[in-house]
Amino acid sequence: MTAVVSIIVFVYNHEKYLEKNFGGIEQQDFDGKIEVILHDDASTDKSASMCRDYAVRSRHIVKMILQSENKFSRRVSVWPEVLSHCSGNYIAFCEGDDYWTDSLKIARQLNALDILPNIDLCFHKAFGVHWKSEEVLRLWGDYGETPKLFTASEVIKGDGHFMPSASLFLRKRVIDHLPEWFFDPPPVGDYFLQVFGSIRGGAIYLPICAAAYRMGDPQSWSQVTVRDVNSINRFDADFLKYLLKMRDTLGVEHHESVDALIMGRFNQFFRRCYVFRRIEETLPVIHLLQDCHQTKLQKVLIACDFFWPSIGGLERMAESLGVYLQSKGYTVTVATGALPQR
């Protein structure tokens, strides 16, 4: 019998968390067929053996993909292989270190999409829990106590934190119509799933808290990335590149929303480079925006609180940036705290 729902679980060194993850899947009270696709990206702990054990004892169909080499570190997309194992009409996600907390999660989300055939994506709020103690620290994606339909523009502007990844539930048609560059792959995939899942008819929010997201694990990808300025700068530059690809793929009616996100992301990136005296790292990103962005920016204001060489060569960096931008045809103005304009 063909599965109704395919649940994708991405695993990497999650031995401490997998039993909780598997328990949330097993408790689902759902009449249809469920299949679980476990993708282990060459874990160095006991995750792979735990996946094998779960496949034997689960009441669901379990399909395992156990990599011999880590693909994420080599920027090799696992999506084609993972999706080739999905036979369900609907796709749900739960990273190996997250878990579901509501036995009716799948049933409720499937019911919502059955009632609303023009909508492809359903999500809900989630607990943000301490990575070790599981103490609830916050609610993530909490948009009230009544169902709500969000437009694609709202999802685009919401950035990657708009929906908890463990709450995503979408029709497989979304996957079937993803652009080729999605399989490149981008630095994160769930944001783009949110966007393309909401393009046809928006995204429906259910006021249930049916998942938990672990926060603060020092070994998690997010924590490793944010505590290293080199890693976070590479991530931001790469993410901006894919936002430009997304802009080219979406219709003109969405360009304003994408542009707002791009500029917000770029300003955040620029501020970090300013704080860490790495202004020169903004040059390739500005070049990318100039070459790829269909709406060409003609004027640039470089604003600094102070403008003295004694604070780390900021004047020289700003001057270098200004010269570069002028060579690209921009009109450049520099405003400082010490001198109004220059």
Side-chain angles (χ1 to χ4, degrees), residues 142-271:
D142 184 4
Y143 301 108
E145 298 305 316
T146 57
K148 183 177 181 180
L149 179 64
F150 286 94
T151 66
S153 290
E154 289 175 305
V155 174
I156 291 169
K157 291 178 181 178
D159 209 336
H161 299 291
F162 193 74
M163 304 176 194
S165 59
S167 78
L168 300 182
F169 186 89
L170 47 82
R171 300 185 197 276
K172 191 172 183 290
R173 69 176 304 279
V174 175
I175 303 293
D176 295 336
H177 291 87
L178 286 171
E180 289 186 10
W181 55 259
F182 178 84
F183 302 98
D184 225 6
V188 288
D190 55 347
Y191 170 71
F192 298 103
L193 290 174
Q194 294 174 33
V195 171
F196 287 103
S198 65
I199 289 299
R200 189 166 71 105
I204 187 69
Y205 161 76
L206 298 184
I208 59 173
C209 202
Y213 169 78
R214 295 185 191 273
M215 302 175 64
D217 184 344
Q219 301 304 315
S220 69
W221 171 83
S222 58
Q223 290 298 308
V224 170
T225 300
V226 299
R227 66 173 175 251
D228 176 59
V229 68
N230 290 317
S231 296
I232 192 64
N233 275 4
R234 282 196 301 269
F235 172 85
D236 277 352
D238 207 20
F239 192 55
L240 282 164
K241 179 178 76 173
Y242 281 93
L243 288 178
L244 289 165
K245 290 177 182 287
M246 183 180 78
R247 186 184 192 276
D248 289 341
T249 303
L250 298 178
V252 175
E253 67 272 19
H254 299 297
H255 284 185
E256 182 179 350
S257 300
V258 180
D259 290 345
L261 177 60
I262 288 173
M263 293 312 299
R265 278 276 184 170
F266 175 74
N267 289 337
Q268 176 181 304
F269 173 67
F270 196 97
R271 281 194 297 270

Side-chain angles (χ1 to χ4, degrees), residues 10-156:
F10 291 111
V11 178
Y12 181 68
N13 288 350
H14 289 149
E15 67 172 347
K16 295 180 292 185
Y17 311 126
L18 281 176
E19 279 305 317
K20 194 91 173 192
N21 178 288
F22 296 155
I25 295 172
E26 287 299 302
Q27 73 167 343
Q28 291 303 302
D29 186 1
F30 178 68
D31 292 335
K33 203 75 171 177
I34 289 177
E35 66 178 8
V36 184
I37 292 83
L38 299 176
H39 179 273
D40 180 84
D41 201 11
S43 293
T44 57
D45 62 4
K46 298 178 181 177
S47 293
S49 63
M50 293 179 71
C51 288
R52 293 189 189 95
D53 176 69
Y54 175 65
V56 172
R57 59 186 169 85
S58 175
R59 64 191 177 96
H60 304 305
I61 301 167
V62 178
K63 302 176 181 179
M64 291 186 296
I65 305 170
L66 306 178
Q67 302 292 354
S68 58
E69 292 184 273
N70 184 270
K71 292 199 171 185
F72 178 81
S73 62
R74 293 183 290 132
R75 292 298 304 274
V76 176
S77 177
V78 301
W79 283 105
E81 187 175 7
V82 169
L83 295 174
S84 70
H85 286 73
C86 296
S87 63
N89 296 320
Y90 300 88
I91 309 287
F93 304 88
C94 194
E95 295 277 350
D97 53 347
D98 300 333
Y99 56 96
W100 293 344
T101 61
D102 187 333
S103 63
L104 295 175
K105 169 194 158 62
I106 291 295
R108 287 170 170 163
Q109 291 187 285
L110 180 60
N111 182 61
L113 292 188
D114 279 347
I115 293 172
L116 302 166
N118 294 324
I119 296 174
D120 292 328
L121 173 61
C122 179
F123 73 103
H124 54 72
K125 53 190 166 183
F127 299 109
V129 301
H130 186 273
W131 66 279
K132 194 172 186 179
S133 69
E134 296 182 1
E135 174 191 358
V136 176
L137 303 177
R138 54 167 287 191
L139 287 179
W140 180 17
D142 184 4
Y143 301 108
E145 298 305 316
T146 57
K148 183 177 181 180
L149 179 64
F150 286 94
T151 66
S153 290
E154 289 175 305
V155 174
I156 291 169

